[in-house]
Amino acid sequence: MADYSYNGSFYDTSFTTCDMYPLPLNEKQAPDQFEAWLKRKNECCERIQTEAPPSESHCELVWDTWDCWNWTAPGDTLIQTCPWWVPDASPMEQATKTCMPDGTWYVHPGNNNTWTNYTACEVPYKESPIRFIIFEAGYSTSVIALCLALFIFTYFQSLGCPRVTIHKNLFISFILSAISNIIWHVTIIVSSRNESGTACRFTYIMAQFFVLCNYFWMLSEGLYLHTVIVVAVFSENHDLLLYYIVGWVIPMVPAVVLLILQLTLGSGKCWTESQGIEWVIGGTIIAVLLTNAGLLLNIVRVLVTKLRATPSQGARTYVRAVRATIILLPLMGLHYIIIPVRPSDNQVAELVYDCIIAFLISFQGFFVACIFCFFNGEVISQLHRSIRNFTLVHYSHTGQLQNGTDGPSQTQVSLRCRLGKDAD
């Protein structure tokens, strides 16, 4: 059975009669495309039924389900402009069909069906300029903000503690995710002009893997708070190996499942036509978000109970830490909640929807850097101390420097780290 779906090239059975295909072969066809396709088909079928073939050896006049191909001499390759009624095809490119020396159309070795090469016609990915700009601006802003936040946590060693280590890994996962998505857009454009989409597909899988890492490191944030507050009762002395496994290793499982499904069921060079398969990633992320929400609800319950029983500064500091994590949950998962309500019958509404989704996804890293670092009270205090010390060093006399403040003592820093980093 021939494959009549368009995917950059398709197979046909070189019908010399036109008794089949009264309906369009692709649901993406617009009404005017269908009308043009049907007119072209009827004209070709009439020629097949009425025109006498040439006397010399030739490949037959054929309707290949998308276009009409004339009688062709053996050994010649017929070249035609890509039909504009083919969905997602570029009429500026050319399609080819080869007549073999024995007077038969070229048969593809993959399935032993005659083959028309529409590969050059394919436009695998159409990106709205506004949406593209939002994506690139958002990812670029996120990378800059996250790199700055990572530098702050690394440079100021007094800020170091287990939870900050988890923050830093979360930042790294978002940086890698943003960079891979920027490269993803570039490889799609490059792959549209060559036969192989290997680089594009590799970038796609890596981008999906790092997106998963983002959410699993957010889960690690919730697990850590749950362990410290609910299990260990404000003690932070435990191994971080579990969190590294959750953040970097477990996401490999759904990523490998996605890769296998795309290799067997995916379509298009860059797998841009396989939206159903991508719910392997979406379903995993939703499950992680729900798990994290459950952990945080239990944390809030325990904190409220402890504060009512024995109010303490440590518990109040963890309230601020939990609040920062809770704020990120809707920001990280909002686009998955509103995806089912995407408008489909209004182009303006679709564009607005796509722009909102692009903003929510691409600026996630920026939000993470702001909430966990730039809005962190301890980070702000540390920066103020550093700026003050820098000013004293460069603009004060030696006597004034000796009386200046060199920053918090090690005991103070250790206490703040133990109580948590997410102050206001």
Side-chain angles (χ1 to χ4, degrees):
M1 189 69 177
D3 175 12
Y4 299 101
S5 61
Y6 175 74
N7 60 359
S9 60
F10 69 87
Y11 306 101
D12 66 82
T13 52
S14 294
F15 293 108
T16 54
T17 61
C18 296
D19 298 329
M20 302 181 69
Y21 306 110
L23 298 175
L25 303 178
N26 193 304
E27 61 182 9
K28 292 184 179 180
Q29 275 186 309
D32 56 339
Q33 286 181 311
F34 171 57
E35 292 178 4
W37 171 84
L38 186 61
K39 179 180 179 181
R40 178 70 166 171
K41 171 183 176 293
N42 291 336
E43 292 173 349
C44 185
C45 292
E46 184 177 355
R47 288 185 59 197
I48 291 173
Q49 295 170 358
T50 58
E51 289 188 15
S55 56
E56 64 274 8
S57 176
H58 63 276
C59 286
E60 296 179 336
L61 171 66
V62 62
W63 170 253
D64 72 355
T65 72
W66 281 121
D67 207 352
C68 194
W69 297 86
N70 210 349
W71 289 288
T72 305
D76 288 350
T77 296
L78 196 58
I79 301 175
Q80 297 181 172
T81 301
C82 296
W84 67 270
W85 50 83
V86 175
D88 298 330
S90 170
M92 304 300 294
E93 303 295 339
Q94 294 178 325
T96 61
K97 195 171 182 68
T98 301
C99 183
M100 305 302 290
D102 61 356
T104 60
W105 291 112
Y106 169 76
V107 174
H108 197 284
N111 66 354
N112 293 323
N113 285 328
T114 55
W115 185 68
T116 305
N117 187 359
Y118 286 95
T119 304
C121 301
E122 184 180 15
V123 181
Y125 185 75
K126 296 190 297 183
E127 180 72 87
S128 164
I130 299 177
R131 186 171 179 266
F132 178 81
I133 291 172
I134 294 175
F135 263 126
E136 298 307 302
Y139 284 129
S140 300
T141 302
S142 293
V143 169
I144 294 172
L146 288 163
C147 286
L148 180 58
L150 190 61
F151 170 79
I152 291 173
F153 279 139
T154 303
Y155 180 78
F156 296 106
Q157 296 183 2
S158 60
L159 294 172
C161 66
R163 185 153 190 255
V164 168
T165 301
I166 295 177
H167 288 348
K168 288 158 68 174
N169 279 273
L170 178 65
F171 295 167
I172 292 172
S173 73
F174 269 99
I175 291 171
L176 294 174
S177 176
I179 292 175
S180 61
N181 275 284
I182 291 173
I183 297 174
W184 157 247
H185 286 89
V186 176
T187 55
I188 286 179
I189 296 172
V190 173
S191 295
S192 67
R193 295 297 176 184
N194 58 60
E195 188 70 24
S196 174
T198 303
C200 185
R201 292 179 175 184
F202 174 79
T203 310
Y204 164 83
I205 292 297
M206 294 307 298
Q208 296 298 320
F209 168 71
F210 288 128
V211 167
L212 285 167
C213 289
N214 295 343
Y215 287 90
F216 275 94
W217 272 110
M218 278 297 300
L219 178 61
S220 294
E221 295 275 356
L223 281 172
Y224 183 81
L225 287 173
H226 191 270
T227 302
V228 171
I229 297 173
V230 179
V231 180
V233 192
F234 301 153
S235 172
E236 299 200 11
N237 297 320
H238 56 275
D239 192 7
L240 293 179
L241 177 61
L242 170 64
Y243 306 103
Y244 285 107
I245 294 175
V246 171
W248 294 118
V249 179
I250 295 181
M252 293 181 183
V253 176
V256 170
V257 172
L258 175 68
L259 175 61
I260 294 173
L261 290 175
Q262 290 287 18
L263 288 173
T264 55
L265 304 174
S267 60
K269 290 179 189 174
C270 297
W271 290 331
T272 55
E273 303 292 328
S274 308
Q275 291 86 352
I277 297 176
E278 288 184 353
W279 274 102
V280 172
I281 303 298
T284 302
I285 290 174
I286 291 175
V288 170
L289 287 171
L290 292 175
T291 302
N292 218 0
L295 290 174
L296 292 174
L297 286 175
N298 192 43
I299 290 170
V300 171
R301 179 188 64 81
V302 172
L303 278 177
V304 170
T305 302
K306 291 181 181 295
L307 285 173
R308 287 177 177 175
T310 55
S312 67
Q313 182 59 36
R316 294 184 184 279
T317 303
Y318 276 115
V319 169
R320 294 192 289 268
V322 173
R323 183 180 62 192
T325 306
I326 291 177
I327 290 173
L328 278 176
L329 274 184
L331 291 176
M332 297 281 287
L334 183 59
H335 59 289
Y336 282 101
I337 297 174
I338 65 177
I339 275 178
V341 299
R342 186 180 193 276
S344 58
D345 55 352
N346 188 307
Q347 291 185 349
V348 175
E350 285 185 31
L351 178 60
V352 172
Y353 175 91
D354 289 340
C355 289
I356 293 174
I357 293 296
F359 177 83
L360 290 173
I361 293 175
S362 61
F363 279 91
Q364 280 181 349
F366 175 76
F367 298 144
V368 168
C370 287
I371 292 175
F372 282 146
C373 182
F374 303 143
F375 297 164
N376 185 314
E378 182 58 30
V379 171
I380 294 173
S381 297
Q382 179 65 59
L383 290 175
H384 284 169
R385 287 193 295 269
S386 298
I387 293 173
R388 184 183 61 216
N389 291 341
F390 177 83
T391 304
L392 288 173
V393 168
H394 287 81
Y395 298 103
S396 299
H397 297 293
T398 304
Q400 292 174 317
L401 284 175
Q402 292 175 349
N403 296 325
T405 302
D406 292 328
S409 67
Q410 185 63 37
T411 303
Q412 290 173 315
V413 171
S414 175
L415 177 62
R416 272 191 296 268
C417 188
R418 186 175 67 82
L419 293 180
K421 294 296 180 182
D422 290 304
D424 294 332

